Amino acid sequence: MTVRSSFPWQGCCVSLILVALIGNIEAGRESPAEELFHSGYEAVHVTRLHRYEHEGMASFLEAEARWSAHEEIGSTLLSRARPRQKLERRPQGFVRVSKLQEAALKAHQAAFLEVTFNSSVSATAGRFRSSDALLRYHSLTVPDETHPAETRLTSLESQYIGQIGVGSVLSPRGCQPSESLIYLGPADYQAASEEQKKACHVKDESLVWVVFDTGSTNIWVSSVLCQEGPCASSSRNRYNRSNSRTYSPAAKSGLLQIEFGTGRITGPEAVDDFHIGPFSVYNQTFGMIQTEEGRVFEEIPVEGILGLAFPAMAANGIRPFVDGIIQNKAIGRNEFAFYFSPDDVAGNAIFWGGVDRAFYSGDIEYFPVVEPYYWAVQLKDFKIGQDSLLHLLLPEEEQTGLEHLSHRSQKQARGEQTTFKAIVDTGTTFFTAQGRLFKEVMNRLTAAPCSSLTEQSHPDITYTLVNTAGEARDFVLTNKQYMLHGGEGEDVECTPAFMMIQVPAAHGPGMVLGEVFLRIYFAVFDRGSGAVQEARLGLAPAMHDTSAKSRLKGLTAHQPVYHRPTTS
Protein backbone atom coordinates (compact mmCIF):
# COMPACT_ATOMS: atom_id res chain seq x y z
CA MET A 1 0.00 0.00 0.00
CA THR A 2 1.29 3.44 -0.89
CA VAL A 3 0.18 6.60 0.91
CA ARG A 4 -0.41 9.59 -1.33
CA SER A 5 -0.19 12.74 0.76
CA SER A 6 -1.88 15.44 -1.33
CA PHE A 7 -3.31 16.41 -4.70
CA PRO A 8 -2.52 16.26 -7.56
CA TRP A 9 -0.43 13.30 -6.32
CA GLN A 10 2.47 13.85 -8.75
CA GLY A 11 5.88 13.24 -7.16
CA CYS A 12 4.56 13.30 -3.60
CA CYS A 13 4.32 9.65 -2.70
CA VAL A 14 6.14 7.39 -0.28
CA SER A 15 5.66 3.69 0.34
CA LEU A 16 5.11 2.81 3.97
CA ILE A 17 6.31 -0.70 3.26
CA LEU A 18 9.54 0.35 1.57
CA VAL A 19 10.79 3.44 3.42
CA ALA A 20 12.64 1.72 6.27
CA LEU A 21 13.90 -1.06 4.03
CA ILE A 22 15.30 1.29 1.40
CA GLY A 23 17.02 3.44 4.02
CA ASN A 24 18.80 0.42 5.48
CA ILE A 25 19.78 -0.86 2.06
CA GLU A 26 21.31 2.41 0.91
CA ALA A 27 23.19 2.90 4.18
CA GLY A 28 24.88 -0.48 3.89
CA ARG A 29 25.50 -0.68 0.15
CA GLU A 30 28.96 -1.65 -1.02
CA SER A 31 30.56 -0.21 -4.11
CA PRO A 32 29.84 -2.49 -7.10
CA ALA A 33 33.58 -2.70 -7.74
CA GLU A 34 34.01 -4.33 -4.31
CA GLU A 35 31.54 -7.11 -4.93
CA LEU A 36 32.22 -10.32 -6.82
CA PHE A 37 29.11 -12.11 -5.57
CA HIS A 38 25.55 -11.07 -4.80
CA SER A 39 24.78 -10.73 -1.09
CA GLY A 40 21.50 -12.62 -1.38
CA TYR A 41 19.22 -9.86 -0.03
CA GLU A 42 15.53 -10.48 -0.58
CA ALA A 43 13.45 -8.94 -3.32
CA VAL A 44 11.00 -6.13 -2.59
CA HIS A 45 8.44 -7.71 -4.93
CA VAL A 46 8.04 -10.70 -7.25
CA THR A 47 5.95 -10.54 -10.42
CA ARG A 48 4.87 -13.88 -11.87
CA LEU A 49 5.29 -14.19 -15.64
CA HIS A 50 3.64 -16.44 -18.21
CA ARG A 51 5.71 -17.74 -21.11
CA TYR A 52 3.56 -17.59 -24.24
CA GLU A 53 4.76 -20.22 -26.74
CA HIS A 54 2.17 -19.73 -29.50
CA GLU A 55 0.12 -22.83 -28.74
CA GLY A 56 -3.10 -20.81 -28.72
CA MET A 57 -5.29 -19.12 -26.14
CA ALA A 58 -6.90 -22.38 -24.98
CA SER A 59 -3.50 -23.72 -23.96
CA PHE A 60 -2.57 -20.37 -22.41
CA LEU A 61 -5.71 -20.21 -20.27
CA GLU A 62 -5.42 -23.86 -19.32
CA ALA A 63 -1.89 -23.32 -17.98
CA GLU A 64 -3.01 -20.27 -16.00
CA ALA A 65 -5.92 -22.19 -14.47
CA ARG A 66 -3.65 -25.08 -13.61
CA TRP A 67 -1.24 -22.73 -11.86
CA SER A 68 -3.92 -21.16 -9.67
CA ALA A 69 -5.83 -24.35 -8.82
CA HIS A 70 -5.38 -28.04 -8.30
CA GLU A 71 -4.29 -30.28 -11.17
CA GLU A 72 -7.76 -31.83 -11.36
CA ILE A 73 -9.31 -28.42 -12.13
CA GLY A 74 -6.76 -27.82 -14.87
CA SER A 75 -7.59 -31.18 -16.39
CA THR A 76 -11.31 -30.33 -16.36
CA LEU A 77 -10.67 -27.05 -18.13
CA LEU A 78 -8.52 -28.87 -20.66
CA SER A 79 -11.29 -31.30 -21.51
CA ARG A 80 -13.68 -28.38 -22.07
CA ALA A 81 -11.22 -26.33 -24.11
CA ARG A 82 -10.20 -28.98 -26.63
CA PRO A 83 -10.33 -32.73 -27.28
CA ARG A 84 -7.91 -34.69 -25.12
CA GLN A 85 -4.81 -35.64 -27.07
CA LYS A 86 -3.28 -39.10 -26.92
CA LEU A 87 -0.33 -38.87 -24.56
CA GLU A 88 2.97 -39.78 -26.16
CA ARG A 89 6.39 -40.21 -24.68
CA ARG A 90 8.57 -37.09 -24.74
CA PRO A 91 12.36 -37.17 -25.13
CA GLN A 92 13.82 -36.85 -21.67
CA GLY A 93 15.91 -33.84 -20.70
CA PHE A 94 16.15 -31.89 -23.95
CA VAL A 95 14.90 -28.31 -24.33
CA ARG A 96 11.16 -28.23 -24.90
CA VAL A 97 9.46 -25.64 -27.16
CA SER A 98 6.15 -25.56 -28.98
CA LYS A 99 5.73 -27.23 -32.37
CA LEU A 100 5.18 -23.87 -34.01
CA GLN A 101 8.40 -22.46 -32.53
CA GLU A 102 10.32 -25.51 -33.66
CA ALA A 103 8.95 -25.18 -37.20
CA ALA A 104 9.74 -21.46 -37.26
CA LEU A 105 13.29 -22.05 -36.04
CA LYS A 106 13.93 -24.73 -38.65
CA ALA A 107 12.66 -22.41 -41.37
CA HIS A 108 14.87 -19.62 -40.08
CA GLN A 109 17.93 -21.87 -40.01
CA ALA A 110 17.26 -23.24 -43.47
CA ALA A 111 16.79 -19.78 -44.93
CA PHE A 112 20.17 -18.59 -43.74
CA LEU A 113 21.93 -21.77 -44.78
CA GLU A 114 20.34 -21.54 -48.25
CA VAL A 115 18.87 -25.00 -48.13
CA THR A 116 15.41 -26.38 -48.70
CA PHE A 117 13.17 -26.83 -45.69
CA ASN A 118 10.02 -28.96 -45.82
CA SER A 119 7.74 -28.35 -42.86
CA SER A 120 5.69 -31.23 -41.52
CA VAL A 121 3.52 -28.77 -39.59
CA SER A 122 2.29 -26.36 -42.22
CA ALA A 123 0.96 -27.18 -45.67
CA THR A 124 1.96 -23.72 -46.83
CA ALA A 125 5.66 -24.27 -46.20
CA GLY A 126 7.98 -24.27 -49.19
CA ARG A 127 11.47 -23.17 -50.12
CA PHE A 128 13.30 -20.62 -48.01
CA ARG A 129 16.36 -18.78 -49.25
CA SER A 130 18.37 -16.01 -47.62
CA SER A 131 17.94 -13.83 -50.70
CA ASP A 132 14.19 -13.61 -50.07
CA ALA A 133 12.90 -10.44 -48.44
CA LEU A 134 10.34 -12.44 -46.50
CA LEU A 135 10.29 -15.90 -44.99
CA ARG A 136 7.10 -17.92 -44.97
CA TYR A 137 6.28 -20.50 -42.35
CA HIS A 138 3.14 -21.89 -40.72
CA SER A 139 0.90 -19.52 -42.65
CA LEU A 140 2.78 -16.48 -41.29
CA THR A 141 4.85 -13.99 -43.24
CA VAL A 142 7.82 -12.73 -41.27
CA PRO A 143 10.80 -10.59 -42.23
CA ASP A 144 14.45 -11.42 -41.88
CA GLU A 145 14.83 -11.41 -38.07
CA THR A 146 18.54 -10.69 -37.83
CA HIS A 147 18.62 -7.57 -35.69
CA PRO A 148 18.50 -7.83 -31.87
CA ALA A 149 17.65 -4.17 -31.18
CA GLU A 150 13.92 -4.59 -31.66
CA THR A 151 11.31 -6.43 -29.65
CA ARG A 152 10.47 -9.43 -31.81
CA LEU A 153 6.82 -10.45 -31.53
CA THR A 154 6.74 -13.50 -33.78
CA SER A 155 6.07 -17.22 -33.54
CA LEU A 156 9.84 -17.75 -33.39
CA GLU A 157 10.12 -16.09 -29.98
CA SER A 158 8.51 -16.75 -26.62
CA GLN A 159 7.00 -13.78 -24.82
CA TYR A 160 7.19 -13.42 -21.03
CA ILE A 161 4.00 -11.66 -19.98
CA GLY A 162 3.09 -10.13 -16.62
CA GLN A 163 0.65 -7.58 -15.27
CA ILE A 164 1.38 -3.93 -14.42
CA GLY A 165 -0.81 -0.98 -13.46
CA VAL A 166 -0.94 2.29 -15.42
CA GLY A 167 -2.56 5.56 -14.34
CA SER A 168 -4.53 6.43 -11.19
CA VAL A 169 -8.21 6.78 -10.34
CA LEU A 170 -10.18 7.28 -7.14
CA SER A 171 -12.27 4.44 -5.73
CA PRO A 172 -15.05 3.96 -4.79
CA ARG A 173 -16.28 6.04 -7.68
CA GLY A 174 -17.23 9.58 -6.70
CA CYS A 175 -15.51 9.43 -3.32
CA GLN A 176 -13.97 12.56 -1.82
CA PRO A 177 -10.21 12.32 -1.19
CA SER A 178 -8.71 13.16 2.18
CA GLU A 179 -5.28 14.60 2.94
CA SER A 180 -3.67 11.19 2.57
CA LEU A 181 -4.77 8.43 0.23
CA ILE A 182 -3.85 4.78 0.20
CA TYR A 183 -2.97 3.14 -3.11
CA LEU A 184 -4.37 -0.38 -3.39
CA GLY A 185 -3.01 -2.55 -6.15
CA PRO A 186 -4.68 -5.87 -7.06
CA ALA A 187 -2.85 -7.87 -4.39
CA ASP A 188 -3.23 -5.06 -1.83
CA TYR A 189 -6.98 -4.96 -2.41
CA GLN A 190 -7.37 -8.67 -1.73
CA ALA A 191 -5.49 -8.30 1.57
CA ALA A 192 -7.14 -5.01 2.61
CA SER A 193 -9.77 -4.73 5.31
CA GLU A 194 -13.36 -3.91 4.44
CA GLU A 195 -12.86 -0.49 6.01
CA GLN A 196 -9.89 0.24 3.74
CA LYS A 197 -11.82 -0.94 0.68
CA LYS A 198 -14.76 1.33 1.48
CA ALA A 199 -12.55 4.34 2.25
CA CYS A 200 -11.52 6.63 -0.60
CA HIS A 201 -8.34 5.19 -2.10
CA VAL A 202 -6.29 5.17 -5.27
CA LYS A 203 -6.25 2.26 -7.70
CA ASP A 204 -4.84 1.64 -11.18
CA GLU A 205 -6.69 3.21 -14.07
CA SER A 206 -5.79 0.15 -16.12
CA LEU A 207 -4.21 -3.23 -15.47
CA VAL A 208 -2.44 -4.46 -18.60
CA TRP A 209 -0.45 -7.55 -19.50
CA VAL A 210 2.92 -6.59 -20.96
CA VAL A 211 6.02 -8.28 -22.34
CA PHE A 212 9.11 -7.72 -20.17
CA ASP A 213 12.09 -7.28 -22.50
CA THR A 214 15.72 -6.62 -21.49
CA GLY A 215 16.69 -6.12 -25.13
CA SER A 216 14.83 -2.86 -25.74
CA THR A 217 13.62 0.34 -24.10
CA ASN A 218 10.20 0.22 -25.77
CA ILE A 219 7.29 1.17 -23.50
CA TRP A 220 3.87 0.77 -25.08
CA VAL A 221 0.41 0.33 -23.58
CA SER A 222 -2.84 -0.57 -25.33
CA SER A 223 -5.25 2.38 -25.21
CA VAL A 224 -8.82 3.40 -25.97
CA LEU A 225 -7.47 5.46 -28.86
CA CYS A 226 -7.50 2.22 -30.87
CA GLN A 227 -10.76 1.95 -32.80
CA GLU A 228 -10.20 -1.13 -34.94
CA GLY A 229 -8.13 -4.28 -35.03
CA PRO A 230 -6.93 -6.48 -32.12
CA CYS A 231 -6.29 -3.54 -29.79
CA ALA A 232 -9.95 -2.48 -30.11
CA SER A 233 -11.27 -5.84 -28.94
CA SER A 234 -13.52 -5.75 -25.89
CA SER A 235 -11.50 -8.65 -24.50
CA ARG A 236 -8.39 -6.45 -24.23
CA ASN A 237 -7.54 -4.22 -21.27
CA ARG A 238 -6.94 -0.65 -22.45
CA TYR A 239 -5.60 2.52 -20.84
CA ASN A 240 -7.87 5.59 -20.86
CA ARG A 241 -5.95 8.80 -20.26
CA SER A 242 -9.18 10.73 -19.70
CA ASN A 243 -9.88 8.72 -16.55
CA SER A 244 -6.43 8.95 -15.01
CA ARG A 245 -5.85 11.66 -12.41
CA THR A 246 -2.07 11.43 -12.94
CA TYR A 247 -1.99 11.67 -16.75
CA SER A 248 -0.19 14.55 -18.43
CA PRO A 249 0.56 15.14 -22.11
CA ALA A 250 4.03 14.39 -23.40
CA ALA A 251 6.46 17.21 -24.13
CA LYS A 252 6.53 16.27 -27.81
CA SER A 253 3.44 15.82 -29.94
CA GLY A 254 3.10 13.56 -32.96
CA LEU A 255 2.87 9.84 -33.53
CA LEU A 256 5.46 7.21 -32.64
CA GLN A 257 5.87 4.12 -34.79
CA ILE A 258 7.74 0.89 -34.25
CA GLU A 259 8.13 -2.34 -36.22
CA PHE A 260 7.71 -5.70 -34.49
CA GLY A 261 8.97 -8.23 -37.04
CA THR A 262 5.52 -9.21 -38.29
CA GLY A 263 3.62 -6.06 -37.47
CA ARG A 264 3.63 -2.38 -36.66
CA ILE A 265 2.14 -0.22 -33.91
CA THR A 266 1.68 3.54 -33.83
CA GLY A 267 0.36 6.04 -31.34
CA PRO A 268 1.04 9.27 -29.45
CA GLU A 269 3.15 9.65 -26.32
CA ALA A 270 1.69 10.13 -22.84
CA VAL A 271 3.06 10.59 -19.33
CA ASP A 272 1.59 8.76 -16.34
CA ASP A 273 2.42 6.66 -13.29
CA PHE A 274 3.29 2.95 -13.54
CA HIS A 275 2.62 0.59 -10.63
CA ILE A 276 4.12 -2.86 -9.98
CA GLY A 277 3.20 -4.45 -6.67
CA PRO A 278 4.17 -2.07 -3.84
CA PHE A 279 6.28 0.32 -5.90
CA SER A 280 5.57 3.05 -8.44
CA VAL A 281 7.44 4.86 -11.18
CA TYR A 282 6.08 8.36 -11.55
CA ASN A 283 5.91 10.53 -14.68
CA GLN A 284 6.86 7.74 -17.08
CA THR A 285 6.69 8.58 -20.78
CA PHE A 286 5.25 5.81 -22.95
CA GLY A 287 3.45 5.20 -26.21
CA MET A 288 -0.33 4.74 -26.30
CA ILE A 289 -1.19 2.11 -28.89
CA GLN A 290 -3.56 3.64 -31.42
CA THR A 291 -3.14 1.25 -34.36
CA GLU A 292 -1.89 -2.31 -34.66
CA GLU A 293 -1.06 -3.80 -38.04
CA GLY A 294 -0.25 -7.46 -38.43
CA ARG A 295 -1.68 -10.85 -37.60
CA VAL A 296 0.80 -11.24 -34.77
CA PHE A 297 -1.30 -8.98 -32.53
CA GLU A 298 -4.31 -11.24 -32.99
CA GLU A 299 -2.32 -14.27 -31.87
CA ILE A 300 -0.27 -12.94 -28.96
CA PRO A 301 -2.25 -12.00 -25.81
CA VAL A 302 -0.23 -8.90 -25.06
CA GLU A 303 -1.40 -5.39 -24.21
CA GLY A 304 1.93 -3.64 -23.97
CA ILE A 305 5.71 -3.84 -23.83
CA LEU A 306 8.02 -2.86 -21.00
CA GLY A 307 11.65 -2.49 -22.12
CA LEU A 308 14.40 -2.81 -19.50
CA ALA A 309 17.52 -1.77 -21.44
CA PHE A 310 19.76 1.32 -21.19
CA PRO A 311 19.30 5.06 -21.95
CA ALA A 312 21.66 4.81 -24.94
CA MET A 313 19.02 2.74 -26.71
CA ALA A 314 16.08 5.01 -25.90
CA ALA A 315 14.60 7.05 -28.74
CA ASN A 316 14.09 10.81 -28.46
CA GLY A 317 15.82 10.98 -25.09
CA ILE A 318 12.91 9.29 -23.29
CA ARG A 319 13.76 8.09 -19.80
CA PRO A 320 13.74 4.27 -19.80
CA PHE A 321 11.68 2.44 -17.20
CA VAL A 322 14.69 1.19 -15.22
CA ASP A 323 16.02 4.74 -14.98
CA GLY A 324 12.60 5.77 -13.71
CA ILE A 325 12.97 3.18 -10.95
CA ILE A 326 16.39 4.64 -10.12
CA GLN A 327 15.24 8.27 -10.08
CA ASN A 328 12.22 7.44 -7.92
CA LYS A 329 14.32 5.28 -5.57
CA ALA A 330 11.46 2.88 -5.95
CA ILE A 331 12.99 -0.42 -4.84
CA GLY A 332 16.13 0.48 -2.88
CA ARG A 333 18.59 -1.64 -4.81
CA ASN A 334 18.49 -0.86 -8.50
CA GLU A 335 18.24 -4.40 -9.79
CA PHE A 336 15.83 -6.98 -11.11
CA ALA A 337 16.25 -10.69 -11.75
CA PHE A 338 14.63 -13.28 -14.00
CA TYR A 339 13.74 -16.89 -13.24
CA PHE A 340 12.52 -19.04 -16.14
CA SER A 341 11.02 -22.49 -15.67
CA PRO A 342 12.01 -25.13 -18.25
CA ASP A 343 8.71 -27.02 -18.05
CA ASP A 344 5.95 -24.78 -16.61
CA VAL A 345 4.91 -21.90 -18.86
CA ALA A 346 3.02 -20.29 -15.97
CA GLY A 347 5.86 -20.62 -13.43
CA ASN A 348 8.27 -17.81 -14.30
CA ALA A 349 9.08 -14.62 -12.43
CA ILE A 350 10.84 -11.29 -12.28
CA PHE A 351 12.28 -10.26 -8.88
CA TRP A 352 12.50 -6.53 -8.08
CA GLY A 353 15.20 -5.11 -5.79
CA GLY A 354 16.69 -8.43 -4.73
CA VAL A 355 16.52 -12.20 -5.10
CA ASP A 356 15.25 -15.33 -3.37
CA ARG A 357 17.60 -18.21 -2.53
CA ALA A 358 14.95 -20.81 -3.35
CA PHE A 359 15.47 -20.13 -7.06
CA TYR A 360 19.22 -20.62 -7.50
CA SER A 361 22.09 -22.66 -6.11
CA GLY A 362 25.55 -21.54 -5.05
CA ASP A 363 26.60 -17.91 -5.39
CA ILE A 364 25.41 -15.33 -7.90
CA GLU A 365 28.62 -14.20 -9.58
CA TYR A 366 28.89 -10.73 -11.12
CA PHE A 367 30.06 -9.91 -14.66
CA PRO A 368 30.48 -6.22 -15.65
CA VAL A 369 28.50 -4.83 -18.56
CA VAL A 370 31.10 -3.80 -21.11
CA GLU A 371 28.86 -1.50 -23.15
CA PRO A 372 25.64 -0.20 -21.55
CA TYR A 373 23.49 -0.39 -24.65
CA TYR A 374 22.48 -4.03 -24.42
CA TRP A 375 22.99 -6.05 -21.25
CA ALA A 376 26.27 -7.25 -22.74
CA VAL A 377 29.25 -8.78 -20.91
CA GLN A 378 32.67 -9.72 -22.25
CA LEU A 379 32.72 -13.00 -24.16
CA LYS A 380 36.25 -14.35 -23.99
CA ASP A 381 35.68 -17.61 -25.86
CA PHE A 382 33.10 -19.88 -27.44
CA LYS A 383 33.91 -23.54 -27.96
CA ILE A 384 32.27 -26.63 -29.38
CA GLY A 385 34.00 -29.49 -27.67
CA GLN A 386 37.61 -28.37 -27.39
CA ASP A 387 37.61 -26.22 -30.53
CA SER A 388 37.62 -22.44 -30.05
CA LEU A 389 35.44 -20.80 -32.71
CA LEU A 390 34.91 -17.24 -31.50
CA HIS A 391 37.15 -15.76 -34.22
CA LEU A 392 34.51 -16.80 -36.77
CA LEU A 393 32.34 -13.93 -35.55
CA LEU A 394 34.71 -11.57 -37.36
CA PRO A 395 34.08 -10.73 -41.02
CA GLU A 396 36.11 -12.91 -43.34
CA GLU A 397 38.13 -9.97 -44.68
CA GLU A 398 39.59 -9.43 -41.21
CA GLN A 399 41.01 -12.95 -41.39
CA THR A 400 42.74 -12.47 -44.73
CA GLY A 401 46.40 -13.29 -44.48
CA LEU A 402 46.03 -14.82 -41.01
CA GLU A 403 44.53 -18.21 -41.89
CA HIS A 404 47.85 -19.98 -41.56
CA LEU A 405 48.18 -18.87 -37.93
CA SER A 406 46.64 -20.54 -34.90
CA HIS A 407 43.67 -18.85 -33.23
CA ARG A 408 45.96 -17.56 -30.46
CA SER A 409 48.43 -16.17 -33.00
CA GLN A 410 45.63 -14.60 -35.02
CA LYS A 411 44.45 -12.75 -31.91
CA GLN A 412 47.97 -11.59 -31.17
CA ALA A 413 48.37 -10.41 -34.77
CA ARG A 414 45.23 -8.30 -34.42
CA GLY A 415 46.59 -6.79 -31.22
CA GLU A 416 43.81 -8.34 -29.04
CA GLN A 417 41.74 -5.29 -29.93
CA THR A 418 38.39 -6.99 -30.46
CA THR A 419 36.07 -7.24 -27.47
CA PHE A 420 33.50 -9.91 -28.15
CA LYS A 421 30.19 -9.58 -26.33
CA ALA A 422 27.58 -11.93 -24.88
CA ILE A 423 24.21 -10.17 -24.86
CA VAL A 424 21.75 -11.53 -22.30
CA ASP A 425 18.24 -10.91 -23.62
CA THR A 426 14.85 -12.10 -22.35
CA GLY A 427 13.27 -11.12 -25.66
CA THR A 428 15.31 -13.64 -27.68
CA THR A 429 14.39 -17.29 -27.23
CA PHE A 430 17.44 -19.07 -28.60
CA PHE A 431 21.22 -18.85 -28.67
CA THR A 432 22.51 -16.81 -31.58
CA ALA A 433 25.54 -16.57 -33.81
CA GLN A 434 26.26 -14.63 -36.97
CA GLY A 435 28.01 -15.04 -40.29
CA ARG A 436 30.58 -17.81 -40.53
CA LEU A 437 30.12 -18.86 -36.91
CA PHE A 438 26.43 -19.59 -37.42
CA LYS A 439 27.20 -21.82 -40.39
CA GLU A 440 29.95 -23.60 -38.45
CA VAL A 441 27.62 -24.23 -35.52
CA MET A 442 24.96 -25.67 -37.82
CA ASN A 443 27.53 -27.83 -39.61
CA ARG A 444 28.85 -29.29 -36.37
CA LEU A 445 25.64 -29.56 -34.36
CA THR A 446 23.30 -31.10 -36.91
CA ALA A 447 19.66 -31.94 -36.36
CA ALA A 448 19.19 -35.63 -35.56
CA PRO A 449 16.84 -38.00 -33.71
CA CYS A 450 17.03 -37.09 -30.03
CA SER A 451 17.68 -40.72 -29.10
CA SER A 452 20.80 -40.82 -31.29
CA LEU A 453 22.64 -37.86 -29.76
CA THR A 454 25.88 -38.64 -27.95
CA GLU A 455 28.69 -36.65 -26.34
CA GLN A 456 30.77 -37.44 -29.40
CA SER A 457 28.23 -36.43 -32.06
CA HIS A 458 27.07 -33.36 -30.10
CA PRO A 459 29.77 -32.37 -27.58
CA ASP A 460 29.46 -29.76 -24.83
CA ILE A 461 29.52 -26.11 -25.84
CA THR A 462 31.29 -23.54 -23.65
CA TYR A 463 30.77 -19.80 -23.24
CA THR A 464 33.65 -18.14 -21.37
CA LEU A 465 32.71 -14.84 -19.69
CA VAL A 466 34.85 -12.37 -17.74
CA ASN A 467 33.77 -11.55 -14.16
CA THR A 468 34.20 -8.34 -12.16
CA ALA A 469 37.64 -9.51 -10.96
CA GLY A 470 38.80 -9.92 -14.56
CA GLU A 471 38.74 -13.72 -14.26
CA ALA A 472 37.43 -16.09 -16.92
CA ARG A 473 34.43 -18.26 -16.04
CA ASP A 474 33.25 -21.16 -18.18
CA PHE A 475 29.56 -21.86 -18.70
CA VAL A 476 29.40 -25.41 -20.06
CA LEU A 477 26.19 -26.70 -21.66
CA THR A 478 25.49 -30.31 -22.58
CA ASN A 479 23.56 -31.32 -25.69
CA LYS A 480 20.42 -31.67 -23.56
CA GLN A 481 20.74 -27.97 -22.78
CA TYR A 482 21.23 -26.70 -26.36
CA MET A 483 19.27 -29.20 -28.48
CA LEU A 484 15.50 -28.78 -28.60
CA HIS A 485 12.35 -30.46 -29.81
CA GLY A 486 8.70 -29.55 -30.14
CA GLY A 487 7.27 -32.97 -30.74
CA GLU A 488 6.57 -36.22 -28.97
CA GLY A 489 7.18 -39.88 -29.67
CA GLU A 490 10.12 -42.26 -29.89
CA ASP A 491 11.67 -40.89 -33.10
CA VAL A 492 11.28 -37.16 -32.55
CA GLU A 493 14.06 -35.01 -33.99
CA CYS A 494 16.24 -32.64 -31.96
CA THR A 495 17.38 -29.33 -33.49
CA PRO A 496 20.19 -27.01 -32.32
CA ALA A 497 18.71 -24.03 -30.43
CA PHE A 498 20.64 -21.50 -32.52
CA MET A 499 19.40 -18.74 -34.78
CA MET A 500 21.24 -16.24 -36.95
CA ILE A 501 21.24 -12.70 -35.55
CA GLN A 502 23.61 -10.04 -36.80
CA VAL A 503 24.63 -7.83 -33.89
CA PRO A 504 25.04 -4.26 -35.22
CA ALA A 505 28.70 -3.48 -35.89
CA ALA A 506 28.66 -0.58 -33.44
CA HIS A 507 27.75 -2.95 -30.61
CA GLY A 508 29.41 -6.22 -31.66
CA PRO A 509 30.70 -8.62 -32.57
CA GLY A 510 28.65 -10.75 -30.26
CA MET A 511 26.36 -13.65 -29.49
CA VAL A 512 22.99 -13.52 -27.72
CA LEU A 513 22.23 -15.72 -24.73
CA GLY A 514 18.47 -15.87 -24.82
CA GLU A 515 15.66 -17.57 -22.97
CA VAL A 516 17.08 -21.10 -23.39
CA PHE A 517 20.20 -19.97 -21.49
CA LEU A 518 18.07 -18.23 -18.86
CA ARG A 519 16.14 -21.44 -18.18
CA ILE A 520 19.47 -22.81 -16.94
CA TYR A 521 20.83 -19.73 -15.15
CA PHE A 522 19.13 -17.34 -12.74
CA ALA A 523 20.11 -13.85 -13.91
CA VAL A 524 20.36 -10.56 -12.00
CA PHE A 525 20.40 -7.27 -13.96
CA ASP A 526 22.05 -4.75 -11.62
CA ARG A 527 22.48 -1.00 -12.21
CA GLY A 528 24.45 -0.34 -8.98
CA SER A 529 23.92 3.25 -7.82
CA GLY A 530 22.25 3.99 -11.16
CA ALA A 531 25.24 5.08 -13.23
CA VAL A 532 25.38 3.03 -16.42
CA GLN A 533 29.11 2.34 -15.97
CA GLU A 534 28.25 0.41 -12.79
CA ALA A 535 25.92 -1.99 -14.57
CA ARG A 536 26.64 -5.67 -14.10
CA LEU A 537 25.03 -9.03 -14.66
CA GLY A 538 24.81 -11.73 -12.00
CA LEU A 539 24.53 -15.43 -12.87
CA ALA A 540 23.96 -18.60 -10.85
CA PRO A 541 22.55 -22.06 -11.67
CA ALA A 542 18.75 -21.96 -11.47
CA MET A 543 16.83 -24.34 -9.22
CA HIS A 544 13.87 -26.17 -10.73
CA ASP A 545 12.75 -28.46 -7.94
CA THR A 546 9.31 -28.65 -6.32
CA SER A 547 10.35 -26.32 -3.50
CA ALA A 548 11.09 -23.53 -5.99
CA LYS A 549 7.66 -23.95 -7.58
CA SER A 550 5.95 -24.00 -4.19
CA ARG A 551 7.88 -20.91 -3.13
CA LEU A 552 6.80 -19.02 -6.26
CA LYS A 553 3.18 -19.99 -5.68
CA GLY A 554 3.44 -18.62 -2.16
CA LEU A 555 5.14 -15.38 -3.18
CA THR A 556 2.57 -14.63 -5.89
CA ALA A 557 -0.53 -16.17 -4.32
CA HIS A 558 -2.50 -12.89 -4.37
CA GLN A 559 -1.59 -11.95 -7.93
CA PRO A 560 -4.28 -12.32 -10.60
CA VAL A 561 -4.11 -14.98 -13.28
CA TYR A 562 -4.78 -14.32 -16.92
CA HIS A 563 -8.45 -15.18 -17.55
CA ARG A 564 -9.47 -13.17 -20.58
CA PRO A 565 -12.09 -14.72 -22.86
CA THR A 566 -10.84 -15.92 -26.24
CA THR A 567 -13.39 -13.91 -28.23
CA SER A 568 -14.27 -10.26 -28.24
Side-chain angles (χ1 to χ4, degrees), residues 32-53:
E34 299 172 359
E35 295 179 294
L36 181 57
F37 300 104
H38 195 284
S39 300
Y41 37 79
E42 291 189 358
V44 168
H45 180 67
V46 182
T47 302
R48 186 179 65 87
L49 305 178
H50 187 114
R51 179 171 66 245
Y52 184 68
E53 295 183 331

Side-chain angles (χ1 to χ4, degrees), residues 108-115 130 438-439 442-443:
H108 171 94
Q109 292 171 342
F112 292 104
L113 292 174
E114 299 184 347
V115 298
S130 59
F438 175 73
K439 291 185 178 181
M442 297 303 297
N443 286 336

Side-chain angles (χ1 to χ4, degrees), residues 48-66:
R48 186 179 65 87
L49 305 178
H50 187 114
R51 179 171 66 245
Y52 184 68
E53 295 183 331
H54 306 274
E55 292 190 301
M57 281 301 300
S59 176
F60 185 101
L61 295 172
E62 170 205 327
E64 285 288 275
R66 202 165 50 234

